[in-house]
Amino acid sequence: MPDSSHLPPPSSLADLPFAHVLPHTAAISAAGRLSIGGCDVRDLAERFGTPLYVFDEADFRATCREFRQAFESRWPKVTVAYAAKAFLCRRLARIIADEGLGMDVVSGGELAAARAGGMPAANLYFHGNNKLPAELREALAGPGIGRVMVDNFYELETLEAIAAEAGVRQPILLRVSPNVDPHTHAKTTTGVLDSKFGFAIATGDAERAVKLGMEAKHLDLRGLHVHLGSPIFEVEPYEEANAVMCGFAAQMGDTHGFEFKEYSPGGGFALAYNREQHAPPIAAYAERFVSTLRKGLEDHRLPEPALHIEPGRALVGRSMVAVYTVGARKEIPGLRTFVSVDGGMADNIRPAIYGSKYEAIAVDRPLAAPEETITLAGKYCESGDILIKDAVVPRFQPGELVGLPASGAYNLAMSSNYNMATRPPVVAVRDGQARLMVRRETIDDLMARDVL
Ligand code: LLP
């Protein structure tokens, strides 16, 4: 039996040991079940089917405002740009534009969805280590996008030619690799020397790029960008990066007359996924970040640059709960009990890739006391398709609904059609109303690309 079995059963959602990973509007419905955004989750599952991703619009909007407030109250000129790779659909782009945030995109697809959702071009920032010439042309066409974060020499050259062709002077930032370790998963660490991203300061590439960027006639070099990795549960790596970047900017000013007008420290702000994790509050990141940046600037007598902050996970992660229906049960006495659900690694590959640990909530009886430790498995054909190893839960019955909170960031964005799975829908809930944001993929959708 789990350790928590001797504890009294929770009497409200706030008593759950993982209450802090639930979206803000999570509550108990009149029927005693989990509700989000004023909608009973079983009702949603019956209407839209499972697996289902429930998006708490009020939670998301509140987090957008929290980010803006945390940074805008501490720095004179800030843009908070949502990192669209965490999750994007046109309606989300519309909400983000409505909340006054910008958006960071990394592909022609994200660029198209952002534009179609009504994001003003000027608030779009284009990232990536191998942007295709066609994508860069698209970014500069029509109302050109706000900034291109140039990653390498090939891109500097290509973009200069494309901007010349388009007859524009494109504002850019250079992505610099400061060699600061953010102490996170190796697969999501970027700001170290051994990384495919950015111009390394250590090799002299960053200095050469500054010189070339300043000389390029059709590029307007505004400043520098770094992204250390993600998720970063400590504030110190940002502090370290600020010191390195201010030193580098000052040196480039002295040697080449470079002006540090804009600075983007990237994203990576952490999100708690389970009872053991606690992310620093956004205001704590902002406070430490701003105070150490001020110090770095003062140390080198640099003026204050405009800031671009790029959160993805911390903005959208908590706003979505994945909902599954329980099916098969397999007991291996003395070893393990598997309880399988109707989704898995096709909609959430994160446990398989990063060993991410989620919590499970019994949607139909959220306050039920935990009774056993099980492994919550997906339905796909490989042993690595596990959603939660060692989940401490009530005894789930077939047909019962299980929710996995903190499923908003990178689950659907990295989802696949493995086993010809059809990808789940996203339903936005707010004030008791449910609205389909992304419909469920159908077998016809799968066949549509398959040319017989
Ligand atoms: N800015 C840049 C340049 C980035 O590369 C990223 C994430 C972000 C901002 C946003 O980072 P966030 O605030 O979301 O942590 N698939 C992985 C995460 C990969 C992150 C890639 N870059 C995962 O599921 O954890």
Side-chain angles (χ1 to χ4, degrees), residues 81 83 85-86 104 106 127-128 175 187-188 190 197 225-227 229-232 238 264 266-270 273 310-315 350 354 356 358 409-411 414:
K85 72 201 81 173
D104 136 11
V106 291
H127 293 257
R175 176 159 184 171
K187 289 194 176 101
T188 53
T190 51
F197 296 103
H225 161 68
V226 279
H227 174 71
S230 128
I232 307 176
Y238 292 99
S264 159
F269 309 100
Y273 287 90
E310 300 167 358
R313 181 192 319 268
L315 263 175
R350 300 192 69 263
Y354 313 116
S356 306
Y358 289 80
Y410 301 106
N411 295 28
M414 295 173 81

Side-chain angles (χ1 to χ4, degrees), residues 27-115:
I28 307 281
S29 71
R33 302 186 291 235
L34 178 67
S35 85
I36 305 173
C39 296
D40 181 292
V41 175
R42 172 157 283 279
D43 292 347
L44 294 173
E46 280 168 10
R47 188 167 153 204
F48 298 101
T50 60
L52 170 69
Y53 278 67
V54 179
F55 171 73
D56 183 343
E57 187 175 332
D59 181 281
F60 182 71
R61 285 183 182 271
T63 315
C64 287
R65 287 170 202 175
E66 196 182 344
F67 257 104
R68 282 194 60 184
Q69 151 73 17
F71 283 93
E72 289 174 3
S73 63
R74 292 176 168 87
W75 200 259
K77 199 149 186 291
V78 186
T79 319
V80 177
Y82 169 68
K85 72 201 81 173
F87 170 71
L88 183 61
C89 65
R90 289 177 297 176
R91 168 113 186 121
L92 193 83
R94 188 174 294 172
I95 295 172
I96 287 162
D98 189 41
E99 289 296 332
L101 275 70
M103 194 182 286
D104 136 11
V105 297
V106 291
S107 69
E110 288 185 3
L111 181 62
R115 281 191 159 137

Side-chain angles (χ1 to χ4, degrees), residues 128-131 136 149-161 172 174-176 196-201 203-216 219 248:
N129 68 302
N130 193 25
K131 305 177 192 76
L136 289 172
M149 313 312 215
V150 176
D151 186 277
N152 53 68
F153 293 111
Y154 171 64
E155 187 183 344
L156 254 182
E157 206 176 301
T158 316
L159 187 63
E160 165 65 12
I172 63 164
L174 294 176
R175 176 159 184 171
V176 168
K196 70 171 179 169
F197 296 103
F199 299 100
I201 295 179
T203 59
D205 277 1
E207 175 164 10
R208 278 192 289 282
V210 166
K211 210 164 158 285
L212 288 172
M214 289 176 64
E215 284 163 9
L219 304 180
F248 176 69

Side-chain angles (χ1 to χ4, degrees), residues 395-414:
R395 193 181 161 105
F396 289 132
Q397 301 301 319
E400 188 168 351
L401 298 174
V402 184
L404 265 63
S407 285
Y410 301 106
N411 295 28
L412 292 177
M414 295 173 81

Side-chain angles (χ1 to χ4, degrees), residues 88-308:
L88 183 61
C89 65
R90 289 177 297 176
R91 168 113 186 121
L92 193 83
R94 188 174 294 172
I95 295 172
I96 287 162
D98 189 41
E99 289 296 332
L101 275 70
M103 194 182 286
D104 136 11
V105 297
V106 291
S107 69
E110 288 185 3
L111 181 62
R115 281 191 159 137
M119 276 301 301
N123 298 345
L124 288 173
Y125 307 88
F126 198 2
H127 293 257
N129 68 302
N130 193 25
K131 305 177 192 76
L132 307 177
E135 290 176 322
L136 289 172
R137 257 182 224 110
E138 186 52 39
L140 268 55
I145 65 164
R147 302 285 177 274
V148 176
M149 313 312 215
V150 176
D151 186 277
N152 53 68
F153 293 111
Y154 171 64
E155 187 183 344
L156 254 182
E157 206 176 301
T158 316
L159 187 63
E160 165 65 12
I162 290 171
E165 214 175 87
V168 297
R169 188 151 182 260
Q170 175 61 41
I172 63 164
L173 302 191
L174 294 176
R175 176 159 184 171
V176 168
S177 171
N179 199 14
V180 169
D181 188 347
H183 308 132
T184 187
H185 199 288
K187 289 194 176 101
T188 53
T189 291
T190 51
V192 293
L193 183 59
D194 187 2
S195 161
K196 70 171 179 169
F197 296 103
F199 299 100
I201 295 179
T203 59
D205 277 1
E207 175 164 10
R208 278 192 289 282
V210 166
K211 210 164 158 285
L212 288 172
M214 289 176 64
E215 284 163 9
K217 285 200 182 54
H218 298 90
L219 304 180
D220 174 13
L221 176 58
R222 299 274 179 94
L224 305 171
H225 161 68
V226 279
H227 174 71
L228 298 176
S230 128
I232 307 176
F233 278 88
E234 306 158 6
V235 286
E236 290 77 12
Y238 292 99
E239 184 174 333
E240 217 181 307
N242 283 343
V244 174
M245 296 304 284
C246 288
F248 176 69
Q251 205 190 330
M252 292 305 99
D254 294 344
T255 336
H256 303 291
F258 166 74
E259 284 179 72
F260 191 32
K261 289 185 256 183
E262 296 179 17
Y263 175 38
S264 159
F269 309 100
L271 169 79
Y273 287 90
N274 56 58
R275 66 190 71 194
E276 280 139 33
Q277 291 181 328
H278 293 274
I282 297 161
Y285 279 115
E287 184 56 40
R288 204 47 186 279
F289 177 83
V290 157
S291 58
T292 60
L293 179 58
R294 282 220 161 87
K295 182 174 180 307
L297 294 168
E298 277 163 24
D299 286 351
H300 296 281
R301 295 172 206 281
L302 289 167
E304 291 188 346
L307 281 181
H308 301 279

Side-chain angles (χ1 to χ4, degrees), residues 343-430:
M345 70 192 303
D347 66 272
N348 184 1
I349 190 95
R350 300 192 69 263
I353 302 189
Y354 313 116
S356 306
K357 187 146 196 304
Y358 289 80
E359 296 284 352
I361 183 163
V363 167
D364 300 309
R365 43 187 179 130
L367 302 180
E371 293 166 295
E372 58 176 1
T373 300
I374 56 138
T375 288
L376 196 73
K379 75 182 291 289
Y380 302 106
C381 285
E382 66 177 75
S383 297
D385 178 25
I386 298 297
L387 283 171
I388 312 177
K389 196 166 164 274
D390 300 331
V392 183
V393 291
R395 193 181 161 105
F396 289 132
Q397 301 301 319
E400 188 168 351
L401 298 174
V402 184
L404 265 63
S407 285
Y410 301 106
N411 295 28
L412 292 177
M414 295 173 81
S415 63
S416 76
N417 294 121
Y418 184 45
N419 291 178
M420 283 223 171
T422 52
R423 284 170 291 184
V426 182
V427 170
V429 289
R430 188 183 181 187

